[in-house]
Structures are given as structure tokens and as C-alpha cells.
Amino acid sequence: VSVQGIGIEELTRVVLYPNPTSGILQLPSNWRGEHVEVSNLTGQSILSTTVEDKLDLGQAPTGVYVIRCGTQYARIIKE
């Protein structure tokens, strides 16, 4: 899986919770105020935003997503 031309293997994986989620994800404190990109597994961006301590994926369809912030990423399941 590639996110904006950068292979996942070049990024550091982090854990977001709850995973799986029905909508609201808790984010690491070092992501506060940072730009976050949410993509589906085909690489299509579904959300690009600046975040605080939570990310709302409530409107996203059910599926698996890659969330990237700088050189960190997480894979999450949206129920």
C-alpha cells in the first residue's frame, strides 16, 4: 500500500484506538495541530485535515483506512 507516493514500509506505524471504530479515533499527542491524511486501501484520499486530539470518521463508509501524519501511519477499520 502506498500513501501519496510514500510506501508504508518507509513510515513508522502507530496504534490508534478504538480500532475497529464506529467513528471517533483518539490520536497521539504529537499529532495535535498537524496535518492528517486519511486514505482508503486503493490510495484514494477521503479526508485531509488538521487535527487536535480526536479524528471523526463517522461519515466514512465501512472499510479499512490508512491514516498518515508526517512519517507516522496507522491502519484502522471503520465499522
Side-chain angles (χ1 to χ4, degrees):
V1 174
S2 180
V3 179
Q4 290 187 339
I6 296 177
I8 290 292
E9 62 278 356
E10 299 173 26
L11 303 175
T12 303
R13 188 171 187 173
V14 296
V15 176
L16 301 183
Y17 64 93
N19 190 8
T21 184
S22 58
I24 303 291
L25 287 168
Q26 299 295 320
L27 301 176
S29 61
N30 64 321
W31 287 21
R32 177 176 234 142
E34 297 293 328
H35 178 79
V36 169
E37 186 82 27
V38 181
S39 302
N40 61 24
L41 290 183
T42 64
Q44 178 184 17
S45 176
I46 65 153
L47 179 64
S48 181
T49 189
T50 300
V51 295
E52 291 303 318
D53 58 342
K54 297 177 185 173
L55 182 64
D56 186 359
L57 295 179
Q59 299 300 316
T62 299
V64 179
Y65 295 94
V66 175
I67 301 174
R68 178 177 169 215
C69 181
T71 60
Q72 297 181 326
Y73 84 98
R75 286 188 184 148
I76 63 105
I77 298 169
K78 166 65 171 50
E79 296 182 320

